[in-house]
């Protein structure tokens, strides 16, 4: 059974930082891709970043590029999302999701087969 365990959300002030972690277990292949999504109240869930363990490649949505950094520790099957220069509009429930390759944009929501539970990120102004 594939399981994703997300952690690290919390409260930060605007301009501050938070780090999220997502640990994957039971993935059926040696290589995996983990994406972070977020969903703000009343808005659609959007993919913001993805890490591919096969080549260490990273991908970002324009909304977070330059502020968020995704990285992975393949030995621990864990992917991190370092969020810097946080803005109030980053407030959302953040979810991690896994599949065999990365996908962002319009196809992302249907791309990933495995999902973790959400973790709340709140940024105060």
């Amino acid at each position: 059974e594939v399981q994703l365990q997300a952690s690290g959300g919390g409260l930060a002030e605007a301009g501050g930082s938070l780090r999220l972690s997502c640990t994957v277990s039971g993935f059926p292949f040696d290589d995996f891709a983990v994406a972070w999504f977020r969903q703000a109240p009343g808005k659609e869930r959007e993919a913001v970043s993805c890490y591919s363990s096969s080549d260490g490649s990273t991908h970002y949505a324009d909304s977070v590029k330059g502020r968020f950094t995704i990285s992975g520790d393949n030995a621990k099957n864990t992917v991190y999302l370092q969020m810097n220069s946080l803005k109030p509009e980053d407030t959302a429930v953040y979810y991690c999701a896994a599949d065999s390759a990365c996908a962002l944009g319009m196809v992302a929501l249907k791309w990933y087969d495995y999902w973790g539970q959400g973790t709340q990120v709140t940024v105060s102004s």
Side-chain angles (χ1 to χ4, degrees):
E1 179 186 5
V2 179
Q3 293 186 332
L4 281 73
Q5 181 68 43
S7 62
L11 176 65
E13 293 184 350
S17 299
L18 286 171
R19 190 177 82 155
L20 306 181
S21 299
C22 178
T23 299
V24 181
S25 61
F27 198 75
F29 306 108
D30 290 338
D31 295 319
F32 58 85
V34 170
W36 284 97
F37 287 74
R38 67 185 181 187
Q39 187 167 20
K43 294 189 176 182
E44 292 186 353
R45 192 174 298 189
E46 63 167 340
V48 297
S49 188
C50 187
Y51 168 86
S52 175
S53 73
S54 63
D55 59 2
S57 60
T58 59
H59 310 272
Y60 300 94
D62 288 343
S63 57
V64 304
K65 199 172 293 183
R67 300 188 299 120
F68 291 9
T69 301
I70 194 168
S71 61
D73 183 335
N74 293 350
K76 296 181 179 180
N77 286 346
T78 299
V79 174
Y80 306 97
L81 185 67
Q82 178 67 42
M83 304 184 294
N84 297 332
S85 302
L86 284 164
K87 304 175 181 180
E89 51 263 45
D90 294 320
T91 295
V93 178
Y94 283 70
Y95 300 86
C96 59
D99 212 286
S100 57
C102 279
L104 297 182
M106 296 181 65
V107 302
L109 201 55
K110 297 182 179 180
W111 181 266
Y112 297 89
D113 286 337
Y114 309 103
W115 291 82
Q117 86 286 6
T119 184
Q120 178 70 46
V121 170
T122 303
V123 183
S124 62
S125 57

